[in-house]
Amino acid sequence: MIEITPVLDSRSNSPLYVQLANYIKQEILSGRIKPNEKLPSKRNLSRYLNLSLNTIQSAYEQLCAEGYVESKPRKGIFVSTFNEEIPSNQIFSQKCEPENEELKVNIKYDFNSGKVDLEHFPYSIWRKLTIQSLYQDKGELFYNGNPQGELLLREQIAKYLFASRGVRCSANQIIIGAGTQVLIGLLSLLIGKDHIYALENPGLHRTRTTLQDLGVHTISTPLDEDGININQLKNSAASVVYVTPSHQFPYGMIMPISRRMELLKWAEGKNGYIIEDDYDGEYRFKGKPIPSLQGLDTKGNVVYLGTFSKSLIPSIRISYMVLPSSLIKKYQESFTVYKQTVSRLHQDTLYRFMNDGHWQSHLNKMRTLYRKKHSTLMVSIQNYFGENAIVVGGNSGLHIVLEVKNSMKEDELISKALNVGVKVYPISIYYHCAKESLSPGVILGFGGLSETEIDIGIRLLKEVWEL
Ligand SMILES: Cc1ncc(COP(=O)(O)O)c(C=O)c1O
């Protein structure tokens, strides 16, 4: 049975039954109450909301009269089915704006950079391993585990990071956590409040928000073609810097070795930290791999962050950080009071997945697949847009920035695309403040679309962007 919990204002000029009818109407229009669902009986709703039976009766009659619900004799009141699209001005007058646009259109081609290819996710292997995790150790996994995360999984991660990303660490230095934001929060406690953090601008808004909400002093540092601007960093009071060197988020530049060495020297001089967020470094389409900053660090100034959100699936919520010895010591002395945030079952299943060799074959398969998708995206952009668009940061990762040379601003590019069922994403939200230098453009993620969908999506964009 659906729950109806409106906030009604008895002092309003609008009668209670009208407020209630409007509320139910909005729930129906937004899709939260679905066609054919049964509404609560008048008596139950009257009791639940502590309103008179007459008020409920009048509200239901109003909805019936307007065709939102139908009364079926001896069965109850049911939400009608709508064949026609509901006019957009009927879709709420209240808040919820971001969803409104999407309600009106059917999004067929979603260039969301957070999506990965689910068609090729090895469901049956994952299912089998989950069952093994559930049964093979007599329920041990149902108790709390090590606050750092399962040792067996950390050992697998350490092995993988060394082989694939040049990260040098032991399992003892790794802390697993349910996402990058959780880990950044813990990290800021470990590093302490005496530091100022420099953040890439533009950069990941989630990092900025997390740190600011925790009361950390942050400053914005602009980018140049190699990543974070080192001179601006040197001239600032910061002693901690957060960077995305393998694929700057969102602009996608890969930090060259010279800039990496400069950053390391800066951190050593400041006795500070570099937080290296290597969120999608597994996927590189051009050029030679560059060792991670962590792998180049000899003084213990780098914290390495990684995630399975892009390389496996985002909903598994398994990310990790590799701490240098000074911070792991602090963690083990004073911070194990914070319990592990990832389910032991998922950790154990992932351990089995890695230990049995499925992880490496999955990664190999996905690399080939994303390389193809990436190449389709580049070819489609070239074919349809020609000289009228520039791809930025297209050498690695699962998204690109597309700078579009027409007279449309970012919000216009996005809304025109939405009109034809294509969803593209803004860059402006990743800027800390003014965005004067920003050329109009959008972010296009391609991981969750097939090659055909990518091509059709780009063709539709050509039409609506009038390129
Ligand atoms: C810069 C950056 N870091 C990290 C992540 C991953 O975050 P999480 O580990 O919380 O899924 C993302 C998005 O997927 C990202 O864009």
Side-chain angles (χ1 to χ4, degrees), residues 113-115 177-184 200 203-207 242-244 247-250 277-280 305-310 313-315 317-320 399 430:
S113 67
K115 290 202 169 166
T180 301
Q181 282 173 296
V182 167
L183 291 168
I184 283 182
E200 294 171 328
L204 185 67
H205 60 322
R206 295 182 201 281
T207 300
Y242 165 87
V243 282
T244 44
H247 186 226
Q248 199 279 331
F249 190 86
D277 183 358
D278 195 12
Y279 64 104
D280 68 359
L305 283 174
T307 179
F308 288 92
S309 293
K310 301 271 188 185
I313 37 170
S315 65
R317 307 309 300 136
I318 302 187
S319 307
Y320 48 87
H399 75 268
Y430 302 112

Side-chain angles (χ1 to χ4, degrees), residues 406-424:
N406 61 9
S407 55
M408 294 178 195
K409 295 230 162 19
E410 180 187 272
D411 49 357
E412 207 180 341
L413 291 169
I414 292 170
S415 64
K416 292 261 183 199
L418 216 48
N419 285 340
V420 288
V422 182
K423 188 138 196 247
V424 296

Side-chain angles (χ1 to χ4, degrees), residues 42-51 56:
K42 291 171 218 159
R43 197 163 300 281
N44 277 348
L45 193 57
S46 147
R47 217 175 296 131
Y48 180 60
L49 297 179
N50 200 13
L51 291 173
I56 310 292

Side-chain angles (χ1 to χ4, degrees), residues 254 260 284-291:
I254 299 170
R260 288 176 195 237
R284 188 183 171 86
F285 307 117
K286 268 193 197 152
K288 287 205 186 98
I290 297 176

